[in-house]
Amino acid sequence: MIEIRIHGRGGQGNVVAAYLLAQAAFHQGMYCQAFPNFGAERRGAPVVAFVRLDDKPIRRRSQVREPAFLIVQDQALLNVPGVTSGLNPSGAILVNSTQDESWLNEHLGKTTVALPANAMAKEHLGRPVPNTALLSAFLSLTGLFPIDALKEALADRFKGELLERNARLVDVAAERVNAGIWNEAVHATST
Amino acid sequence: MLQALEGSQALAKAVALCRPQVVAAYPITPQTHIVENIAKLVADGEFRCELVSVESEFSAASVALGAAAAGSRAYTASASQGILLMSEVLFNIAGLRVPMVLTCANRAVSGPLSIWNDQQDSMAVRDSGWIQLYCGDNQEAVDTTIQAYRIAERTEVPVMVCVDGFVLTHTLEPIDMPEQSLVDQYLPPYAFSRALNPAQPISIGTLVSPDFFTEARHSHHAAMIKALAEIESADTDWQEVSGRGWGGLFEVQGPEDADTALLTLGSTAGTLADGLAQIPGGDRVKVIRLRCFRPFPVEALQRACAGLKRIGVIERALSPGQGGIVATELRDALEELDNPPKVHGFAAGLGGRDIPLTIAAEALRRMDSGEATRFAIIDVELDKLPPEDR
């Protein structure tokens, strides 16, 4: 089982990100579970969502306390207490950030990849919604399954031009990171 | 067909598969997505029904009651304060023996205000005379919704399908949505024997003198006890056509000769099972997931619990000043056994507090340690309380 925790802010598509990732895994024939942990339901408030992926049915429904990976949709959240807590020592963080990656690695003491997902989303979607780019980069980094599954999951939700723009963003974001560098982390953190 | 769906979305589809003619509901977190998805199915022309937007839960239940009394298959859904606001009508629906189905997206009850999950809302109306079925996952919630109509219509007792708010309603997971033809075969069109009909006028809900009220209660109680067999057969027959059964009145996992069991309701069961798998001796513990809380399956539980030495009941509600609701009922049910197991009551997961994997170990530790565990609330952080409340 791989457990992923996604941090973001209300309005950033945090729950949608969790659902898309689970749905993409489902299209790959995996078992999946995605659920939000809502705080107060308002824009801008920190929100958390959880994803579990496995090759067998998933029984537990507890919150993900020791994730293998963190996807953080807003770099400012890295300074919020608890955001990185419980991260598997062999795990890694993907953050929507324009900050210097080596500085982030040092500052956080964790393997961290920074993706300027807001700018990428602005360019391709016209809006700074970072989730599609982050998910694509995450799949590319981990090699969990091909990005085509993410496109399939996007097609469950969007159509027409919006779908095409998202699909292009998937391609661009996957290219932007070093494919497969988190392969080992996946093996080390699988339970 | 297997699909990855949010629980609420799957529930809306399941309701549509049952072809109710009237749906009346008022949105409330965490039930909202169920009603939204039903409205969408209706707007998209995929589900034909009279969808009545009402101004409160009291009206939602009243519209559903009127529709069902007139012979329609009816549906409503609510949670928390909504269940309480409709509670007067809930007692009427059951007391008048009008069949319908309600989804309770289980949520804590105010105050203090909490939008998050526990099961205090459905427990608060446990004596309303509704059948109450608690679901372990979203597949079961879908299947139980379909079974609920059959049970309600065969027993003329309304059925509340209890689904943990957020934990299930907002979780996306693979769900096999049954084919319409399968549901139609399992759930044929319904004719209510006492439907209001201008050609043969009758009154329902009129004043009943002391000469007859006791008899009305007796017949309702008897109908609830008889419903146990219908609840079991609804599940067995569903298993025959769909390949999926949920244990009927309750589901038992673990070794038959175990001397220890943990009993819970709803979505906690999977977390308990995974938690037990991680601790030494965990494979020697039975997990009983109580699916049918009303009617309370006394005899079946006596059979399932005979031979056990101790049972820990983990429930997401409590009766303040008394303790565990299910634990107390179980203790009462097992009292007739020769060597009744000791029943330890625990409340956990209140107002959205996460129920972690470690809960099974924590409950067993308390049962082992000899701490007084007639009733305890797990995971209380006493340092948050003033000394006099600790």
Side-chain angles (χ1 to χ4, degrees):
Chain A
M1 187 192 304
I2 290 279
E3 296 184 306
I4 300 140
R5 201 166 65 204
I6 305 178
H7 292 266
R9 295 188 181 277
Q12 275 189 317
N14 216 49
V15 183
V16 172
Y19 284 1
L20 279 171
L21 183 54
Q23 210 140 4
F26 172 77
H27 285 306
Q28 281 295 303
M30 297 175 84
Y31 288 96
C32 61
Q33 183 192 72
F35 59 106
N37 176 32
F38 280 113
E41 290 157 307
R42 58 175 198 270
R43 276 186 185 267
V47 287
V48 184
F50 310 102
V51 180
R52 290 193 171 99
L53 308 176
D54 207 345
D55 52 12
K56 51 186 185 297
I58 298 163
R59 299 189 295 185
R60 71 190 62 174
R61 304 209 172 253
S62 46
Q63 295 177 3
V64 172
R65 297 189 176 198
E66 293 172 356
F69 298 100
L70 288 175
I71 298 176
V72 181
Q73 302 217 72
D74 179 340
Q75 63 188 18
L77 289 172
L78 290 173
N79 301 317
V80 173
V83 166
T84 59
S85 74
L87 178 66
N88 189 306
S90 308
I93 303 171
L94 173 63
V95 58
N96 170 23
S97 172
T98 50
Q99 280 166 312
D100 178 60
E101 214 166 77
S102 51
W103 181 84
L104 278 169
N105 268 284
E106 201 177 320
H107 174 68
L108 296 169
K110 321 262 184 194
T111 308
T112 306
V113 166
L115 184 80
N118 272 6
M120 297 170 77
K122 255 190 187 162
E123 184 188 336
H124 291 272
L125 308 177
R127 289 205 303 146
V129 187
N131 54 13
T132 298
L134 286 166
L135 291 176
S136 177
F138 177 72
L139 291 180
S140 182
L141 288 161
T142 56
L144 269 176
F145 48 82
I147 54 169
D148 284 351
L150 177 59
K151 290 182 183 171
E152 224 177 311
L154 286 163
D156 292 338
R157 223 162 251 276
F158 305 112
K159 52 187 173 199
E161 203 197 325
L162 187 58
L163 175 61
E164 283 167 30
R165 285 164 175 261
N166 269 284
R168 274 201 296 277
L169 180 54
V170 166
D171 289 330
V172 171
E175 289 291 316
R176 184 78 176 236
V177 293
N178 292 320
I181 55 166
W182 287 357
N183 267 340
E184 265 178 42
V186 170
H187 292 300
T189 55
S190 290
T191 53
Chain B
M1 191 180 69
L2 206 60
Q3 303 169 58
L5 295 171
E6 184 200 16
S8 297
Q9 202 184 357
L11 274 165
K13 285 173 183 272
V15 170
L17 285 171
C18 296
R19 302 186 189 273
Q21 288 105 347
V22 178
V23 174
Y26 189 80
I28 181 169
T29 302
Q31 156 265 37
T32 312
H33 292 185
I34 301 173
V35 184
E36 274 178 8
N37 277 293
I38 288 176
K40 188 168 185 300
L41 289 171
V42 171
D44 291 347
E46 291 173 38
F47 173 25
R48 282 186 55 197
C49 79
E50 190 75 33
L51 177 61
V52 187
S53 289
V54 287
E55 88 297 347
S56 75
E57 287 86 357
F58 187 95
S59 296
S62 299
V63 168
L65 166 56
S72 289
R73 192 171 274 165
Y75 175 79
T76 189
S78 195
S80 184
Q81 311 309 117
I83 293 287
L84 297 192
L85 187 57
M86 63 169 59
S87 67
E88 181 181 335
V89 190
L90 295 180
F91 277 75
N92 269 304
I93 293 166
L96 298 175
R97 303 281 310 282
V98 171
M100 72 163 74
V101 171
L102 177 154
T103 305
C104 178
N106 283 112
R107 166 183 149 181
V109 170
S110 296
L113 175 62
S114 167
I115 60 162
W116 293 279
N117 167 247
D118 67 31
Q119 295 172 346
Q120 198 72 49
D121 48 3
S122 51
M123 285 294 161
V125 292
R126 67 176 182 166
D127 298 336
S128 62
W130 283 61
I131 290 168
Q132 285 194 0
L133 306 175
Y134 288 77
C135 300
D137 61 30
N138 281 314
Q139 183 68 64
E140 185 182 358
V142 164
D143 292 348
T144 302
T145 300
I146 297 161
Q147 293 182 12
Y149 274 102
R150 187 178 115 150
I151 296 162
E153 290 167 6
R154 290 196 178 187
T155 59
E156 296 190 349
V157 177
V159 180
M160 186 177 294
V161 179
C162 301
V163 181
D164 280 317
F166 289 114
V167 182
L168 293 181
T169 58
H170 286 56
T171 291
L172 179 134
E173 57 189 346
I175 299 167
D176 183 13
M177 290 308 300
E179 296 294 330
Q180 183 69 62
S181 56
L182 183 83
V183 178
D184 287 345
Q185 174 200 336
Y186 177 83
L187 194 66
Y190 172 61
F192 182 29
S193 65
R194 291 176 284 116
L196 294 173
N197 176 1
Q200 288 172 300
I202 57 163
S203 286
I204 60 166
T206 52
L207 184 71
V208 167
S209 71
D211 295 339
F212 285 99
F213 194 85
T214 303
E215 287 67 30
R217 282 290 178 263
H218 177 85
S219 88
H220 188 173
H221 178 63
M224 288 290 272
I225 302 300
K226 271 200 282 189
L228 287 164
E230 285 295 344
I231 294 162
E232 284 196 281
S233 77
D235 194 44
T236 314
D237 291 353
W238 178 251
Q239 179 156 28
E240 215 156 89
V241 295
S242 75
R244 287 186 304 271
W246 301 100
L249 303 171
F250 48 80
E251 199 170 49
V252 184
Q253 287 180 350
E256 243 176 57
D257 60 344
D259 62 11
T260 302
L262 295 175
L263 182 145
T264 194
L265 300 80
S267 66
T268 309
T271 307
L272 282 183
D274 273 5
L276 285 172
Q278 291 186 351
I279 55 174
D283 59 345
R284 300 295 309 146
V285 178
K286 254 187 199 177
V287 174
I288 304 172
R289 186 175 60 80
L290 186 62
R291 186 168 177 252
C292 174
F293 172 64
R294 278 291 179 275
F296 199 68
V298 172
E299 284 168 21
L301 281 169
Q302 285 175 345
R303 284 193 296 275
C305 296
L308 287 168
K309 290 202 174 68
R310 53 190 194 153
I311 305 176
V313 177
I314 299 172
E315 47 188 315
R316 287 186 124 124
L318 70 152
S319 178
Q322 194 290 122
I325 298 164
V326 180
T328 302
E329 296 198 5
L330 184 67
R331 206 174 278 132
D332 169 74
L334 302 183
E335 178 223 30
E336 290 166 20
L337 292 176
D338 280 342
N339 287 304
K342 170 141 179 68
V343 177
H344 303 259
F346 301 107
L350 303 178
R353 181 70 61 92
D354 184 39
I355 292 193
L357 274 180
T358 50
I359 189 145
E362 173 62 13
L364 293 172
R365 185 192 66 75
R366 290 180 185 230
M367 288 157 69
D368 281 339
S369 71
E371 287 175 40
T373 52
R374 180 183 173 76
F375 176 68
I377 303 179
I378 287 184
D379 201 15
V380 184
E381 294 173 13
L382 289 172
D383 56 344
K384 292 176 180 170
L385 294 169
E388 63 271 24
D389 288 351
R390 286 178 195 171

